[in-house]
Amino acid sequence: MQIKKDEVVWLLLFIAPAIILFFLFFIIPILFLFVTSFTNWDGISAEFVGLENYTKLFNKKSFVRAITNNLYWCLTAALITVPLALIIALLLAHRSRGWKVFRTVLFIPQVVSSAAIAMLWAAMFNAEYGLVNFLLDYIGFSDYKNHNWLGNVRTANAALIGFSLCYVGYFMVIMLAKTAGISEDYYDAANIDGASQFQKDLHITAPLIKSTFFLCIILAVIFNLRQFEYVYLMTAGGPANKTQVLVVYIWNELSVQRLGRGNAAGVIMIAIGAILLLSLRKLLKSETYN
Amino acid sequence: MQRDLSSNFYFIFKWVIIISFVFYAVFPFLWLVLASLKTNAELLDDPFKLPAVFQFQNYSNAIREAGLGKLIINSLVISTSATFLNILFSSMCAFAIARHTFWGKNVLFLMITAGILVPLNALIIPYFAIINFLNLYDTRLGLILVYCAVGLPVSTFILTEFFKSIPKEIEEASFLDGCNFAARYFRIMLPLALPGLATAGTFQFILCWNEFIYAMLLTSSTDIRTIQFGISYFTNQFFSDYVGMFAAVVISILPSITVFVLFQERVINGLTAGSVKG
Amino acid sequence: MIKSILKLFSVVFISTSLTVISTVASAEITINWPSIWVGKDSKSTVISELVDEFNAANSGSIKVVIEEQTDYDIYAQKLTAQISTGDLPDIFTVGADLLDILHRSGKAMDLAPHVASDSHWSNVYPDGALESNMMGGQLTNLPYELFVTPVTYNKKLLKAAGYDEFPATYDEFFKMCEAVTATGKVCTSQMTAKNAWTSMLWFSQALASAGGPNVYERGLDDPAFVKAFEVMEKMYQYTTSDAVGADAGVSGGHFLNERTAVFMNGPWFIARYTSDGIPGLHENIGVAPAPMLTGGEGAPGGYVGGKQSSLAAGKQSDPAKEEAVVKFLKWLTTPENVARLSYSSGAMFIVKADLPSDMDRLFIEMNEQKGNAPYVAKTFMNGMGSLPIVSEFPQALSALALGEVTPEGAVEMLKDAE
């Protein structure tokens, strides 16, 4: 509803804290990022170099590789992770016995610190004593007995992305929360009509949480663009720069005191993110509430 | 209701999926606990074998060496405060955006949610400068503000979504009762949006709890340090006391899980009882 | 609902007030030291003893407070941020990669006048050590910890393969690798994760033996770099299957578990052979200089090593505080204290130390071989002088190990990093 004159004060009061904090911790740093991206700043001194950082970045194979890897991550998130989360949310929404326990258990990976999880999975993928190879050998694929999943250019990315599936819990919880608000009446009516569980899920629950589903897709895509810890801790972008992603690339640039170039990469990342965000919203806009 | 073949199939499908993902999710945690009860030598030898003797003292050692007790309290204080402030500010903002039209609304929303795109790791020097400028270096308040701010885009995004989906009729009814802006927010919207608040709150809490880089960057004394510092205590450039670290990690997970369970329990389940009847 | 809001609000209020209660101001000078020698670091016990003793001796007038920095990467980023904004700590350690911007920031304390006026410094530092660290007439850092990285090998495993002594040339070395593999063990520990430390050290050794200790001055076009990569290519044929992507824990772990026969690391690792190795490992370890490339410019017995870390201080405006900082720096550089650090951790220092006679056998051997070495060449990390190239090394190495590039291609990758 349109804001009334006497409520303007309230409105300003309500949006003020968010705006102030946002200004301090986002607007100012981003401006800083943007300005320094046109210099060769190394932490102490800076000279204006125009677009040199940008052109150099796009000429580097590893940077372009980072962008394509990020897009793979985003695609996986949108097409596999979130739909899987949806399915699990739908299934848990049945509220069958023990669903609360499952919900908590599936959420546990989000709660464990990334360092520990990365270490665990690196150990699981280890060529010498890793569990993955052990299991494969047990099943009968003994070719893989000493396969170095994370150290092999063909399988490193696949292994990393496979690992990321344990994050369905995050989105599952969001969608499950939304199902809590669905009125029982709908289900009662469906029961009277003799609908099966599957039909209820497909025609009642799913459409009602559609907007949340799209929310999760957007969040997933953006989070994967920002992916840092797992890649950094498990492969640091290797081997041979094959698993490079943008934020790891930026971190490396910052670590070698090429802050101007690192910030330029940051600006590029934000630009890509903005394009993705806007196109996703447009794509999904007709489906959401306005 | 009849159970026919496709119903059974769906039933089996459901449990296969749930059990396999549960395994996928819970196995890391089980391994963590197992690994934390071994010695370092055993761990390097074969990470998945059972330990010869269960090294329970890894836990007491970890608590003692890294001073985990105080760190957990710090983490609790900082994470709870930051989450509270974050949810408060973002819900206020989301309420304004979701339910009203005003000049600049779309720009504001786009701007704040665009904050999700920002790579925090690249902002180390600006954040360090700003916190120093505000004289908040090595203070709990400094970290609280940073965490609150950093989570604003995601929280606002989630909450705007939840607010938008609350039926307008309720709010319009409250108008007739003479509710003003603030009353609408506190009495009507907040209770109805509790699942959203709980969701956003849980994620914010976990963000604060697990955050490491800025916790190290913006603090220096152990009085202020968080639990993640305690975990990093066990590693250094050339050496890692893995089992000590894993014990610390297991200890650090417990509060997060507790918060998650509490939030989900109290708020969401309380709500299914009182959901809107058409 | 309101109750829980109030509950949470009081939490916020309490925590905010706690932050406002600041420490009691006193006439005591506080020196803050964000130290990386804490926690599980081998020097942490003695360092905290030294700090306690200093504080006790100066109680009421000076107090040194250690701020623990447990993650080295984050510490480096933090120090860079502090150098950039000018908020330097009172005293801190700095690695070779940050010395340059530290100096250029102009915010570091110039120790030259203090060094010149007090005979302590010329007594404890070898001749020329301080002068060579001066930049632009200023001394903004004190070289402190030193390291060397000879080969450490498992004598028992080598003997089982038929070798009583460590080979002197790479040809011999690779023959030995064949023999070791035939006994069912793996020859070397290698790693490509993080900074590829162990492999980087091997690379530095090969480089020094191909091009001599001054190879870095000649730049990447020198054929020594290709030769060194050729050695690495071969080296990776005789290592564990998880070497590509392995970090220090994994590669060290293999040696500690007697899965690999040959390792390379610094003196700080000596204590670990006893504490984390399989029983009896320490007695079986031998130390040797790396092999030589026939026809290379290096000389037999040549060692690789260099500056591990330096001490530095932030500029002070208060002369009393500056004196206090210098006093503490002196305390950290007395021969007795440095000897204590060496003895307990195995670390080596540039500062002259009165080492006790019961130092660890391996430490003594390393020290002796270092003394007899014709040169101590820099590591690739310290000698290359270009952070981007050093940072690209692990990627080039893993590409080489996986057959994605030739040795020439690996050098190209390094050149492209600039």
Side-chain angles (χ1 to χ4, degrees):
Chain A
M1 59 206 96
Q2 184 62 34
I3 199 75
K4 299 214 276 279
K5 281 279 166 65
D6 58 343
E7 295 198 326
V8 170
V9 175
W10 279 116
L11 182 77
L12 289 177
L13 206 63
F14 266 49
I15 61 179
I19 291 193
I20 296 175
L21 281 177
F22 189 74
F23 182 73
L24 259 185
F25 291 104
F26 280 94
I27 306 257
I28 296 185
I30 301 293
L31 277 177
F32 179 79
L33 217 68
F34 189 66
V35 166
T36 54
S37 71
F38 296 110
T39 70
N40 64 358
W41 190 48
D42 63 357
I44 298 293
S45 55
E47 281 166 8
F48 186 73
V49 292
L51 289 174
E52 186 186 312
N53 283 329
Y54 291 94
T55 47
K56 281 228 167 123
L57 278 175
F58 280 110
N59 273 329
K60 292 237 184 241
K61 256 199 319 191
S62 45
F63 184 72
V64 176
R65 178 100 224 168
I67 297 184
T68 45
N69 276 339
N70 268 120
L71 291 177
Y72 280 138
W73 283 84
C74 296
L75 269 176
T76 313
L79 297 178
I80 302 182
T81 317
V82 180
L84 266 177
L86 173 68
I87 294 177
I88 301 181
L90 288 176
L91 295 175
L92 284 184
H94 297 170
R95 306 280 194 283
S96 353
R97 225 175 359 186
W99 71 276
K100 286 189 210 159
V101 173
F102 291 126
R103 181 191 62 197
T104 307
V105 159
L106 281 169
F107 195 68
I108 287 183
Q110 334 300 325
V111 159
V112 182
S113 75
S114 37
I117 291 213
M119 203 170 289
L120 161 69
W121 280 89
M124 298 233 320
F125 281 127
N126 185 293
E128 295 276 316
Y129 48 71
L131 195 67
V132 174
N133 286 346
F134 178 75
L135 285 176
L136 284 175
D137 187 38
Y138 196 74
I139 302 178
F141 290 103
S142 37
D143 293 340
Y144 286 96
K145 186 137 191 247
N146 274 327
H147 186 84
N148 188 351
W149 291 91
L150 292 174
N152 178 303
V153 291
R154 275 170 304 127
T155 56
N157 260 330
L160 275 180
I161 294 184
F163 146 80
S164 76
L165 286 180
C166 51
Y167 291 91
V168 288
Y170 188 89
F171 302 110
M172 185 270 295
V173 164
I174 298 184
M175 290 190 267
L176 194 59
K178 198 69 200 294
T179 66
I182 296 179
S183 159
E184 277 301 310
D185 291 352
Y186 294 115
Y187 296 116
D188 292 339
N191 281 335
I192 294 176
D193 284 342
S196 74
Q197 187 62 53
F198 181 65
Q199 284 170 321
K200 280 193 279 188
D201 287 341
L202 191 63
H203 296 296
I204 303 179
T205 327
L208 285 176
I209 62 173
K210 190 151 65 168
S211 59
T212 315
F213 177 65
F214 291 135
L215 168 83
C216 287
I217 290 196
I218 294 183
L219 279 180
V221 167
I222 301 299
F223 284 159
N224 274 285
L225 197 63
R226 283 204 321 196
Q227 182 63 258
F228 175 68
E229 269 130 4
Y230 303 106
V231 177
Y232 184 69
L233 291 170
M234 288 176 83
T235 62
N241 281 324
K242 284 289 193 274
T243 59
Q244 197 67 253
V245 286
L246 281 168
V247 187
V248 174
Y249 193 89
I250 294 176
W251 182 264
N252 286 339
E253 292 293 309
L254 296 183
S255 306
V256 299
Q257 290 160 26
R258 274 208 294 230
L259 296 162
R261 190 157 325 165
N263 290 349
V267 171
I268 294 179
M269 192 189 117
I270 295 179
I272 295 181
I275 295 176
L276 276 177
L277 187 67
L278 286 173
S279 11
L280 273 176
R281 288 202 88 213
K282 232 188 189 139
L283 198 67
L284 308 171
K285 190 169 188 159
S286 49
E287 315 277 359
T288 61
Y289 296 92
N290 207 344
Chain B
M1 193 172 59
Q2 292 163 321
R3 292 287 281 285
D4 56 7
L5 193 61
S6 63
S7 271
N8 285 330
F9 182 71
Y10 194 53
F11 184 75
I12 296 174
F13 169 77
K14 167 167 98 173
W15 286 105
V16 164
I17 295 259
I18 291 183
I19 299 294
S20 32
F21 268 91
V22 161
F23 183 73
Y24 205 43
V26 102
F27 181 75
F29 184 65
L30 286 179
W31 180 80
L32 209 57
V33 175
L34 177 73
S36 67
L37 293 171
K38 299 166 78 143
T39 64
N40 274 313
E42 280 175 338
L43 189 68
L44 290 174
D45 180 39
D46 182 351
F48 297 104
K49 238 183 0 203
L50 282 174
V53 174
F54 282 93
Q55 311 278 341
F56 285 109
Q57 74 273 17
N58 284 341
Y59 281 85
S60 45
N61 284 345
I63 297 180
R64 200 177 17 94
E65 285 169 13
L68 289 184
K70 187 202 273 191
L71 297 176
I72 290 190
I73 294 181
N74 273 339
S75 273
L76 275 173
V77 166
I78 293 177
S79 303
T80 336
S81 318
T83 306
F84 176 72
L85 286 179
N86 172 282
I87 296 302
L88 185 66
F89 295 158
S90 57
S91 63
M92 280 162 41
C93 195
F95 174 60
I97 291 177
R99 305 303 267 195
H100 308 93
T101 339
F102 53 91
W103 177 82
K105 171 180 103 149
N106 283 325
V107 171
L108 181 65
F109 183 62
L110 232 47
M111 205 175 62
I112 293 191
T113 50
I116 305 180
L117 305 168
V118 173
L120 288 174
N121 297 334
L123 301 179
I124 290 181
I125 294 189
Y127 274 33
F128 188 72
I130 291 175
I131 289 291
N132 271 327
F133 173 73
L134 294 173
N135 260 329
L136 289 176
Y137 178 71
D138 198 33
T139 59
R140 289 192 194 91
L141 187 62
L143 262 190
I144 291 176
L145 278 184
V146 169
Y147 286 162
C148 172
V150 156
L152 276 179
V154 175
S155 296
T156 314
F157 194 56
I158 293 181
L159 288 177
T160 313
E161 169 60 41
F162 270 86
F163 278 140
K164 273 190 189 165
S165 63
I166 293 180
K168 291 203 161 97
E169 295 79 32
I170 305 179
E171 219 183 334
E172 276 156 18
S174 76
F175 253 134
L176 299 175
D177 285 343
C179 274
N180 73 353
F181 196 96
R184 281 208 302 280
Y185 171 73
F186 278 106
R187 297 240 178 82
I188 316 285
M189 297 302 283
L190 277 192
L192 286 177
L194 273 178
L197 294 177
T199 310
T202 314
F203 295 131
Q204 175 68 13
F205 184 84
I206 288 171
L207 166 87
C208 299
W209 191 262
N210 282 344
E211 207 283 328
F212 180 59
I213 295 178
Y214 285 101
M216 292 292 285
L217 186 74
L218 301 175
T219 66
S220 54
S221 49
T222 13
D223 290 340
I224 313 284
R225 287 241 162 110
T226 63
I227 184 69
Q228 298 300 324
F229 160 76
I231 293 173
S232 74
Y233 184 88
F234 297 95
T235 68
N236 74 6
Q237 264 177 302
F238 303 105
F239 165 61
S240 299
D241 176 7
Y242 291 114
V243 297
M245 186 182 123
F246 289 151
V249 170
V250 172
I251 293 176
S252 76
I253 294 177
L254 299 174
S256 293
I257 297 192
T258 317
V259 164
F260 174 72
V261 170
L262 281 178
F263 262 77
Q264 296 281 311
E265 278 298 313
R266 297 262 298 307
V267 178
I268 294 197
N269 295 336
L271 195 63
T272 40
S275 58
V276 179
K277 292 277 178 185
Chain C
M1 182 67 214
I2 304 290
K3 239 200 229 161
S4 28
I5 293 185
L6 280 178
K7 236 192 295 183
L8 289 171
F9 191 72
S10 48
V11 169
V12 175
F13 181 68
I14 291 174
S15 54
T16 319
S17 1
L18 282 175
T19 68
V20 169
I21 298 171
S22 47
T23 49
V24 180
S26 62
E28 194 179 55
I29 298 178
T30 318
I31 298 180
N32 70 324
W33 180 12
S35 169
I36 51 172
W37 295 328
V38 293
K40 294 288 167 172
D41 187 279
S42 49
K43 296 195 271 303
S44 63
T45 336
V46 175
I47 288 284
S48 61
E49 280 172 19
L50 290 178
V51 167
D52 289 337
E53 288 165 23
F54 182 84
N55 286 341
N58 290 285
S59 91
S61 51
I62 313 179
K63 183 165 181 195
V64 174
V65 175
I66 289 190
E67 296 164 359
E68 293 164 311
Q69 307 291 322
T70 48
D71 185 302
Y72 185 74
D73 286 330
I74 309 264
Y75 171 69
Q77 293 274 354
K78 186 169 179 175
L79 190 59
T80 313
Q82 288 171 317
I83 292 175
S84 184
T85 57
D87 293 300
L88 283 174
D90 296 326
I91 191 174
F92 53 98
T93 53
V94 50
D97 49 345
L98 291 173
L99 289 176
D100 182 54
I101 54 168
L102 176 66
H103 176 82
R104 279 164 43 213
S105 73
K107 304 275 175 39
M109 187 190 287
D110 179 17
L111 296 159
H114 296 280
V115 163
S117 62
D118 190 331
S119 60
H120 161 89
W121 303 100
S122 48
N123 285 340
V124 304
Y125 273 95
D127 296 327
L130 288 176
E131 282 72 35
S132 59
N133 269 288
M134 287 185 132
M135 286 185 258
Q138 288 191 326
L139 186 65
T140 47
N141 71 89
L142 291 173
Y144 196 50
E145 199 184 343
L146 180 55
F147 71 104
V148 289
T149 55
V151 175
T152 47
Y153 62 96
N154 190 319
K155 286 193 247 189
K156 188 176 80 177
L157 294 185
L158 251 63
K159 205 164 185 144
Y163 282 81
D164 282 328
E165 275 183 15
F166 192 77
T169 65
Y170 277 108
D171 293 327
E172 274 297 304
F173 176 78
F174 287 120
K175 285 211 197 90
M176 183 192 79
C177 287
E178 285 286 336
V180 169
T181 320
T183 67
K185 293 284 180 186
V186 179
C187 197
T188 72
S189 274
Q190 303 288 341
M191 54 178 279
T192 66
K194 300 278 161 73
N195 52 12
W197 179 253
T198 313
S199 296
M200 189 273 300
L201 294 176
W202 273 109
F203 183 71
S204 315
Q205 298 277 11
L207 208 49
S209 80
N214 297 321
V215 63
Y216 301 107
E217 289 163 22
R218 301 200 289 271
L220 282 172
D221 286 320
D222 192 290
F225 286 91
V226 177
K227 289 215 193 80
F229 271 122
E230 280 168 11
V231 170
M232 293 313 295
E233 197 179 21
K234 259 200 132 159
M235 197 74 80
Y236 266 80
Q237 289 167 9
Y238 298 105
T239 185
T240 52
S241 55
D242 60 3
V244 177
D247 65 7
V250 173
S251 68
H254 286 308
F255 185 71
L256 291 171
N257 285 333
E258 234 178 35
R259 182 130 166 67
T260 55
V262 176
F263 190 51
M264 188 175 281
N265 212 327
W268 56 78
F269 206 78
I270 293 177
R272 291 204 68 197
Y273 298 130
T274 325
S275 65
D276 291 320
I278 63 170
L281 182 70
H282 186 269
E283 284 70 54
N284 285 328
I285 294 184
V287 173
M292 283 295 130
L293 269 179
T294 28
E297 295 184 29
Y303 249 43
V304 160
K307 247 193 310 200
Q308 173 75 331
S309 59
S310 305
L311 295 171
K315 219 177 223 168
Q316 300 290 346
S317 47
D318 174 6
K321 189 158 184 183
E322 186 163 333
E323 287 302 317
V325 169
V326 175
K327 191 170 184 190
F328 185 63
L329 284 173
K330 275 176 73 172
W331 175 246
L332 284 178
T333 52
T334 65
E336 302 82 42
N337 290 340
V338 168
R340 280 165 71 184
L341 280 170
S342 262
Y343 186 69
S344 74
S345 66
M348 284 184 180
F349 293 88
I350 293 178
V351 176
K352 293 185 204 166
D354 310 322
L355 291 175
S357 49
D358 59 340
M359 292 290 294
D360 188 291
R361 166 184 68 93
L362 295 174
F363 183 90
I364 295 178
E365 285 179 31
M366 283 189 194
N367 225 2
E368 224 176 87
Q369 289 174 7
K370 169 173 80 101
N372 292 336
Y375 53 79
V376 177
K378 292 198 182 146
T379 60
F380 175 71
M381 213 152 125
N382 289 346
M384 202 59 230
S386 156
L387 289 172
I389 292 183
V390 168
S391 160
E392 185 71 3
F393 176 75
Q395 308 290 358
L397 183 65
S398 51
L400 180 72
L402 291 175
E404 297 278 312
V405 292
T406 61
E408 289 81 2
V411 176
E412 281 306 309
M413 278 181 77
L414 291 184
K415 285 191 195 160
D416 277 338
E418 263 292 333

